[in-house]
């Protein structure tokens, strides 16, 4: 199957259904613990994480693309690290764009939880490359440039998320202070 000229892995449609189901469960759980809005945003974060994993770890049917040297598998380590290179290469641009929403959605959580979620999301690109390197049957190439591009997308997303989160956190703090004054009176 092809979408916009790109080959779509066969596991994508069923994988999307699983990610959607998992996101719905997250929505139900978080909605009862926090609020419907936070539940919805948590579900979107879960769904997008599932989409990233599907896009990066779904097996490819193409010919062997794993980098090998003397019969041993190797991981390409930062062959071209220029951040501007991501603007000229479709694959690198996609790696950046995939992670912008993850970075932006980190701040959906409370400040203390956001730090833990940010660390987990920052480790996700490394996890993906390790899985691509370890499991030959995925027929995916391990590339250190992907990690850098993913982190670039996360940083852009974190900046966007922080720009929206800081005013929200300030309003929440003011509301808590006002409630405390009303309750004290």
């Amino acid at each position: 199957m092809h979408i916009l000229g790109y080959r779509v892995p066969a596991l994508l449609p069923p994988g999307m259904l699983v990610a959607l189901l998992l996101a719905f469960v997250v929505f139900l759980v978080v909605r009862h613990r926090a609020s419907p809005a936070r539940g919805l945003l948590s579900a979107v974060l879960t769904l997008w994480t599932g989409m990233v994993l599907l896009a990066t770890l779904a097996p490819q049917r193409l010919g062997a693309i794993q980098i090998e040297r003397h019969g041993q598998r190797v991981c390409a380590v930062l062959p071209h690290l220029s951040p501007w290179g991501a603007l000229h290469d479709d694959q690198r641009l996609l790696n950046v764009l995939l992670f912008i929403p993850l970075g932006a959605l980190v701040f959906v959580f409370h400040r203390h939880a956001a730090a833990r979620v940010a660390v987990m999301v920052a480790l996700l690109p490394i996890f993906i490359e390790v899985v691509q390197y370890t499991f030959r049957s995925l027929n995916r190439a391990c590339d250190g440039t992907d990690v850098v591009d993913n982190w670039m997308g996360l940083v852009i997303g974190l900046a966007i998320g922080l720009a929206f989160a800081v005013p929200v956190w300030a309003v929440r703090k003011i509301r808590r202070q006002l409630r405390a004054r009303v309750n004290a009176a």
Side-chain angles (χ1 to χ4, degrees), residues 28-180:
L28 293 176
V29 170
V30 175
R31 179 184 65 145
H32 288 294
R33 291 187 178 177
S35 68
R38 189 167 285 178
L40 180 62
L41 290 171
S42 298
V44 169
L45 177 63
T46 303
L47 182 63
W48 194 260
T49 302
M51 295 299 120
V52 167
L53 291 173
L54 280 168
T56 57
L57 295 178
Q60 296 293 316
R61 292 185 191 166
L62 305 174
I65 58 173
Q66 188 65 42
I67 299 168
E68 293 189 11
R69 186 177 302 143
H70 305 296
Q72 294 285 4
R73 294 171 55 195
V74 296
C75 186
V77 182
L78 311 175
H80 8 28
L81 190 55
S82 165
W84 305 115
L87 297 175
H88 303 292
D89 181 0
D90 286 353
Q91 185 64 33
R92 290 191 63 198
L93 183 60
L94 181 62
N95 284 332
V96 172
L97 294 176
L98 271 174
F99 277 78
I100 290 174
L102 288 179
L105 289 169
V106 161
F107 294 104
V108 166
F109 301 95
H110 188 272
R111 273 187 261 180
H112 303 295
R116 288 191 304 265
V117 172
V119 168
M120 288 188 288
V121 170
L123 292 175
L124 187 60
I126 295 170
F127 169 77
I128 289 168
E129 295 304 317
V130 167
V131 169
Q132 288 177 345
Y133 176 77
T134 305
F135 296 100
R136 179 175 277 183
S137 60
L138 294 176
N139 206 22
R140 294 287 194 149
C142 173
D143 187 355
T145 308
D146 292 349
V147 174
V148 174
D149 292 340
N150 295 157
W151 282 340
M152 190 183 326
L154 283 174
V155 168
I156 294 168
L158 286 169
I160 293 168
L162 192 59
F164 285 99
V166 168
V168 169
W169 289 340
V171 167
R172 286 181 187 162
K173 183 177 180 178
I174 292 169
R175 285 183 183 166
R176 278 193 308 271
Q177 290 172 345
L178 288 174
R179 273 190 234 128

